[in-house]
Amino acid sequence: MRTKFGILEYVLAQIRARDVRCVYCRKEMNSIYSGNHRDYATIEHLNFDGPFHWDDGLKAEDIVICCGGCNSSRGVKELSQWFASPYCTSRNINEDTVAEPVRRYLRRSGLTTAGKR
């Protein structure tokens, strides 16, 4: 079975098992929608250049799980731009405090402070 993005269910299950807290703010998330979108676990595409669908080359390493609040706040901003936003600065969210899957993506993409695009 696949999700609406074509992600294989077992791959998404592995990602959800890895990301039990928001990869950005480390908040515990609800896996079942409870009416408060900020606390809901959402799929986050780290790479806004795509691909966005599994069949087009989307990779598990470019997907993380974050809370609805962080996902909504980030919108379509590059991570480095979002880290400088009041939302992140007030919550101490930056390239050093995010979960390891996000730090690996930043290093792989050359988006760390030393190599910002």
Side-chain angles (χ1 to χ4, degrees):
M1 297 285 301
R2 293 175 179 249
T3 69
K4 68 180 180 179
F5 298 107
I7 303 167
L8 298 168
E9 290 288 342
Y10 81 90
V11 174
L12 184 57
Q14 291 171 342
I15 294 167
R16 286 189 182 278
R18 178 195 70 200
D19 301 340
V20 295
R21 292 183 170 272
C22 175
V23 295
Y24 299 125
C25 72
R26 304 299 177 106
K27 174 187 351 184
E28 258 188 80
M29 301 171 288
N30 298 323
S31 59
I32 300 171
Y33 185 67
S34 64
N36 188 350
H37 179 73
R38 292 177 306 198
D39 297 332
Y40 186 63
T42 63
I43 294 173
E44 167 80 324
H45 293 84
L46 295 171
N47 183 358
F48 284 139
D49 295 331
F52 300 107
H53 196 276
W54 200 258
D55 293 335
D56 295 329
L58 179 65
K59 297 179 181 157
E61 61 204 26
D62 292 335
I63 303 168
V64 294
I65 306 297
C66 71
C67 71
C70 285
N71 200 333
S72 292
S73 171
R74 181 176 175 210
V76 295
K77 298 175 192 82
E78 285 277 349
L79 283 168
S80 57
Q81 178 188 15
W82 182 58
F83 290 156
S85 74
Y87 179 92
C88 288
T89 57
S90 69
R91 290 167 176 78
N92 194 35
I93 298 171
N94 58 60
E95 67 184 54
D96 297 321
T97 63
V98 295
E100 184 58 28
V102 180
R103 288 195 304 266
R104 277 195 305 269
Y105 170 79
L106 291 168
R107 286 190 301 267
R108 193 173 66 247
S109 302
L111 296 173
T112 60
T113 301
K116 283 185 185 174
R117 282 198 228 181

